[in-house]
Amino acid sequence: NVTGLVQMQERLSKTLAQLNLAIDTAGLGVWRLNMENGRLDWNDQQLEIYGLTREEFDKNLDGWRDQVHPEDKEYADGRLAPVFEGKEVYDVEFRIIRPDGEIRHLSASAAPILDQDGEITELIGINHDVTQIKENEIRLREREAFLQAIFDHSLNAIIVADDNGTYRFVNQAAAEMFGIPVSDLIGMNVADLRTSTTPDAAERYVRYL
């Protein structure tokens, strides 16, 4: 049935076009490894992620390993190993070093492609550059550590409003000011301090607040 075959090929071409559009839009690097000859193929996005031109790419796994960060080589190899045994792997995070020395953070997944006899013919995988996400996480942790240092070393009681608009104590100085164990005071509603604590603490509440 020639008509049916043509229609199937048209649907396949449309599906592949949509898939390629999704890959391009998401900026995903795609690689394929031929198990018979060891040839490694990368798409343009993968080359861009690794900072290579098509001419600089040497088309084998050794070239890829050369760019993996030395501290991540053993981990990356270990996570990739199950794919050679016919298993899928997801969320493999490692760093690479581009030829210009820039370090990038990647998130990767990979899967085997099997023939009709169940033999692995190819491995296919994707790389996603998550450097910006990692840098944002680092900045967020640094900011949290900075704010925590302020809370921990402040000589004044610090009070913040939670999502419900309730004011609560948040630091060690508040516990020392009101003579209440920090484990009891931190997170306590300010309005409850007068009625839920000792007379001495209630007196201090009136004095300081």
Side-chain angles (χ1 to χ4, degrees), residues 176-189:
E176 295 176 354
M177 180 178 293
F178 291 100
I180 298 174
V182 65
S183 58
D184 294 336
L185 187 68
I186 291 183
M188 179 184 291
N189 187 334

Side-chain angles (χ1 to χ4, degrees), residues 6-208:
V6 170
Q7 291 176 341
M8 183 176 68
Q9 290 176 335
E10 290 177 348
R11 288 196 298 270
L12 179 59
S13 297
K14 183 177 180 179
T15 300
L16 289 176
Q18 293 172 336
L19 178 60
N20 287 330
L21 176 61
I23 289 173
D24 292 343
T25 302
L28 297 177
V30 179
W31 58 266
R32 298 175 68 102
L33 177 66
N34 186 303
M35 296 298 289
E36 181 177 356
N37 58 27
R39 178 187 172 90
L40 183 65
D41 290 313
W42 287 2
N43 70 346
D44 291 340
Q45 286 84 355
Q46 181 84 340
L47 291 169
E48 183 178 347
I49 289 172
Y50 280 76
L52 296 173
T53 65
R54 182 67 61 183
E55 292 71 28
E56 293 170 330
F57 175 50
D58 55 15
K59 300 180 176 63
N60 63 69
L61 275 180
D62 289 337
W64 166 74
R65 288 191 177 95
D66 287 342
Q67 283 196 251
V68 176
H69 194 287
E71 296 177 0
D72 296 346
K73 285 183 186 293
E74 184 177 353
Y75 166 79
D77 277 336
R79 289 298 309 275
L80 183 63
V83 186
F84 288 88
E85 301 172 358
K87 302 175 183 178
E88 299 177 355
V89 297
Y90 301 95
D91 300 325
V92 181
E93 293 192 358
F94 59 93
R95 293 165 294 173
I96 62 167
I97 303 177
R98 287 177 166 181
D100 61 4
E102 182 182 6
I103 296 176
R104 308 296 290 180
H105 295 259
L106 306 186
S107 177
S109 299
I113 297 178
L114 310 178
D115 62 17
Q116 294 180 345
D117 299 323
E119 297 294 326
I120 302 174
T121 59
E122 287 185 314
L123 303 183
I124 186 169
I126 60 172
N127 281 184
H128 182 208
D129 190 338
V130 294
T131 303
Q132 189 61 55
I133 296 175
K134 289 296 182 181
E135 290 178 349
N136 290 341
E137 290 176 351
I138 291 173
R139 284 194 291 269
L140 179 59
R141 286 196 296 269
E142 291 175 345
R143 179 173 176 80
E144 289 176 344
F146 173 72
L147 292 175
Q148 189 62 52
I150 293 177
F151 288 168
D152 293 342
H153 296 91
S154 174
L155 299 179
N156 299 311
I158 298 179
I159 303 170
V160 299
D162 62 19
D163 293 338
N164 298 319
T166 301
Y167 289 92
R168 300 185 183 278
F169 295 100
V170 296
N171 70 329
Q172 176 72 36
E176 295 176 354
M177 180 178 293
F178 291 100
I180 298 174
V182 65
S183 58
D184 294 336
L185 187 68
I186 291 183
M188 179 184 291
N189 187 334
V190 172
D192 294 337
L193 180 66
R194 188 198 301 266
T195 59
S196 62
T197 57
T198 64
D200 181 60
E203 181 180 345
R204 297 186 184 196
Y205 173 89
V206 174
R207 184 189 313 163
Y208 292 119

